Amino acid sequence: MAYHGKRINPSRFEKGQLKIIIILLPLVIFMALPIIFIANHAFKPMDELFAFPPTFFVKNPTLENFTKLIKFSRTSGVPMSRYIFNSLIVTVLTVGLSLFFTTCAAFALSKIRFKGRDTMLQINQLAIMFVATAVLIPRYLVICKMGMIDTVWAHVLPLIAYPVALFLVKQFVEQVPDSLIEAAYMDGATDFQVYRKIIIPMIKPAIATAAILVFQQVWTNMETSNYYINDDSMKTLTFYMNSLVNANNTVSGQGMAAAASLILFLPNLILFIILQNSVMNTMANSGIK
């Protein structure tokens, strides 16, 4: 596409891009500083962790913090591998089920007319306003009444419904042409076939963004391990890392805390890097009507 002899989004570098780079480069560096600090902080030896004035970059990197963390975890009654396994199972189940129910609900609320649809939309909008603490007691009562205490479903069920993800995906589904869906119905397609063959392929960027949002909520969650799980062998890695750091809140424990912070942060960074193109597409298309 050309405009006054200049292409929009050129595939190669052009001089006209310099002004954009000059404006965005300081912002990119500023946004990357916390990530760089977390990575450097985890490899600092003890003298650099407590240096004054504090240093941003590590001068003498070491793996001592990670070694201490692994050694200390071996002294606990439950091995760290068990917590990692629990977190992986909980994360996969929760993200998978949440995306399935979110996309189904977004399709129904956007393209299927039924009684009570507007009411359900309003309920979802209200749910966005509530913080987790406000619904802590009702959640506990539901989990308890259903007999899910000390089970993997106590981790999964409270986190399946994510109103923000539903709102995002629904806005994307609304951009799917109604004529395309009507043509599929005329060819004899069922609602599920329309959902699987038309809706899902056309909203993949929104699904990727929702996956990141749900993953962050699940991976960093400690509420379920705190309130619904009494058996230590059923708790998650995030809970274990935080309890380990709190139990060793001493000078010698700060290195383990730095290592634990990096370990918990890396999955979020890796997932975002993998899905960044889809996330960018979601942000771009959300403004196109």
Side-chain angles (χ1 to χ4, degrees):
M1 180 182 292
Y3 181 71
H4 294 295
K6 295 182 179 181
R7 291 181 300 169
I8 298 176
N9 294 327
S11 57
R12 297 181 180 180
F13 175 78
E14 293 185 0
K15 292 182 180 180
Q17 296 176 336
L18 282 175
K19 56 184 177 183
I20 300 176
I21 295 175
I22 293 173
I23 294 173
L24 293 182
L25 187 59
L27 180 62
V28 171
I29 295 174
F30 179 76
M31 297 294 289
L33 287 179
I35 300 175
I36 298 173
F37 177 78
I38 292 174
N40 279 268
H41 198 62
F43 293 96
K44 288 180 180 178
M46 195 60 62
D47 58 336
E48 291 187 38
L49 284 172
F50 293 94
F52 187 84
T55 58
F56 191 88
F57 296 101
V58 58
K59 297 178 181 177
N60 301 301
T62 178
L63 295 174
E64 184 181 1
N65 297 330
F66 296 92
T67 304
K68 287 181 178 179
L69 180 63
I70 295 173
K71 287 181 178 179
F72 187 85
S73 67
R74 290 174 180 173
T75 63
S76 62
V78 182
M80 186 185 293
S81 58
R82 176 65 187 185
Y83 294 108
I84 295 174
F85 175 77
N86 291 342
S87 290
L88 291 176
I89 293 297
V90 169
T91 302
V92 170
L93 281 175
T94 306
V95 173
L97 291 174
S98 180
L99 292 179
F100 174 72
F101 288 121
T102 296
T103 51
C104 287
F107 170 51
L109 294 173
S110 299
K111 299 300 182 181
I112 300 178
R113 298 186 180 276
F114 57 92
K115 188 175 182 181
R117 185 179 71 167
D118 293 339
T119 303
M120 291 183 180
L121 286 173
Q122 293 173 2
I123 292 174
N124 186 74
Q125 298 296 90
L126 290 173
I128 297 176
M129 301 170 59
F130 287 92
V131 296
T133 307
V135 294
L136 181 59
I137 294 177
R139 279 182 175 179
Y140 178 81
L141 293 175
V142 171
I143 295 297
C144 188
K145 291 291 185 182
M146 296 181 70
M148 293 184 178
I149 299 295
D150 284 340
T151 67
V152 67
W153 297 109
H155 290 293
V156 175
L157 186 62
L159 303 177
I160 287 179
Y162 195 32
V164 175
L166 175 57
F167 177 78
L168 173 67
V169 176
K170 176 186 172 298
Q171 297 300 108
F172 220 83
V173 174
E174 287 181 348
Q175 298 180 30
V176 177
D178 292 335
S179 58
L180 186 63
I181 297 176
E182 291 172 359
Y185 282 134
M186 292 180 64
D187 289 339
T190 63
D191 288 336
F192 185 74
Q193 289 174 329
V194 171
Y195 161 79
R196 183 170 61 89
K197 296 184 178 181
I198 297 178
I199 300 298
I200 294 299
M202 297 190 70
I203 63 170
K204 285 183 178 179
I207 294 175
T209 305
I212 293 176
L213 295 176
V214 177
F215 177 86
Q216 290 177 339
Q217 179 187 230
V218 178
W219 186 254
T220 61
N221 180 269
M222 291 192 299
E223 174 190 306
T224 55
S225 292
N226 267 323
Y227 301 113
Y228 313 137
I229 304 296
N230 300 314
D231 184 357
D232 287 341
S233 65
M234 291 298 300
K235 294 184 177 182
T236 59
L237 180 65
T238 302
F239 175 85
Y240 172 71
M241 288 294 191
N242 281 273
S243 61
L244 184 150
V245 170
N246 292 333
N248 294 273
N249 193 18
T250 59
V251 173
S252 60
Q254 296 308 305
M256 290 190 294
S261 297
L262 179 61
I263 291 173
L264 293 176
F265 172 73
L266 280 178
N268 290 284
L269 179 62
I270 293 172
L271 183 65
F272 179 79
I273 291 174
I274 294 173
L275 301 178
Q276 63 174 328
N277 289 334
S278 296
V279 174
M280 294 301 104
N281 288 337
T282 302
M283 299 301 108
N285 291 333
S286 62
I288 302 175
K289 300 295 182 182

